[in-house]
């Protein structure tokens, strides 16, 4: 006696629904994906342009001012030793104060605000060096200017990398 069991095979076919090009709900105000992508690329280009403008402006200002400071000090009648001392103040103060400004920027969470304040005060400090021809005034203004110009380059770099 041989028994045979019938075998049945069932196949299921899944039907796919075509993807919708309109938003899922009629009340949704989300723009299509292509608009979001094009807007973000446009924003990126504008930000990149502003960053380039910031770098060019900052380094043009530094490049125009720094080479002529020793000449200016010499025209005031100061000797090489005093001019060298004034030139050494900025790197020394930047070495000491730069990390402090970085900590202030990190703690406040407002690097743009810190950059704005330090840039404006540094600019004012550079402008206030010229009015008086007193060595103590010049040393004090170079020191204060160095304190506030110390974080500018590192903050710009940090903002670009974020």
């Amino acid at each position: 006696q041989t028994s045979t069991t019938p075998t049945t095979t069932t196949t299921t076919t899944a039907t796919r629904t075509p993807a919708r090009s309109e938003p899922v709900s009629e009340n949704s105000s989300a723009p299509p994906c292509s608009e979001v992508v094009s807007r973000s690329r446009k924003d990126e280009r504008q930000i990149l342009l502003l960053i380039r403008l910031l770098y060019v402006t900052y380094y043009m200002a530094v490049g125009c001012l720094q080479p002529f400071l020793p000449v200016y000090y010499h025209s005031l009648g100061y000797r090489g030793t005093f001019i060298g001392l004034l030139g050494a103040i900025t790197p020394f103060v930047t070495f000491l104060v730069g990390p402090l400004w970085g900590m202030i920027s990190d703690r406040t969470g407002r690097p743009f605000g810190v950059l704005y304040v330090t840039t404006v005060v540094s600019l004012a400090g550079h402008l206030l060096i010229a009015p008086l021809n007193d060595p103590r005034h010049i040393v004090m203004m170079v020191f204060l200017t160095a304190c506030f110009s110390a974080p500018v380059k590192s903050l710009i770099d940090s903002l670009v990398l974020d």
Side-chain angles (χ1 to χ4, degrees), residues 18-46:
R20 292 183 174 185
S21 61
E22 68 269 0
V24 176
S25 71
E26 294 178 19
N27 295 333
S28 175
S29 62
C33 184
S34 62
E35 286 182 29
V36 172
V37 170
S38 67
R39 260 194 260 156
S40 67
R41 286 183 183 158
K42 183 178 179 183
D43 291 343
E44 286 177 7
R45 279 189 244 126
Q46 288 177 344

Side-chain angles (χ1 to χ4, degrees), residues 66 83-99 142-143 145-147 149-150 153:
Q66 293 297 331
I83 295 171
L85 172 72
L86 291 174
I89 289 173
T90 302
F92 181 72
V93 171
T94 301
F95 174 74
L96 297 176
V97 176
V142 167
F143 177 79
T145 302
C147 287
S149 64
K153 288 179 263 191

Side-chain angles (χ1 to χ4, degrees), residues 13 17 22 25 27 33 35 41 46 51 60 64 72 75 90 102 111-112 124 127 137:
T13 56
T17 58
E22 68 269 0
S25 71
N27 295 333
C33 184
E35 286 182 29
R41 286 183 183 158
Q46 288 177 344
I51 289 169
M60 278 179 37
C64 289
Y72 172 70
S75 74
T90 302
F112 282 109
L127 294 174
H137 170 78

Side-chain angles (χ1 to χ4, degrees), residues 58 90 94 101 118-119 122 126 144-153:
Y58 177 75
T90 302
T94 301
W101 280 111
T118 56
T119 302
S122 176
H126 280 293
L144 288 175
T145 302
C147 287
F148 284 91
S149 64
V152 173
K153 288 179 263 191

Side-chain angles (χ1 to χ4, degrees), residues 71-90:
V71 176
Y72 172 70
Y73 297 141
H74 183 72
S75 74
L76 294 177
Y78 296 114
R79 298 194 183 269
T81 306
F82 185 72
I83 295 171
L85 172 72
L86 291 174
I89 289 173
T90 302

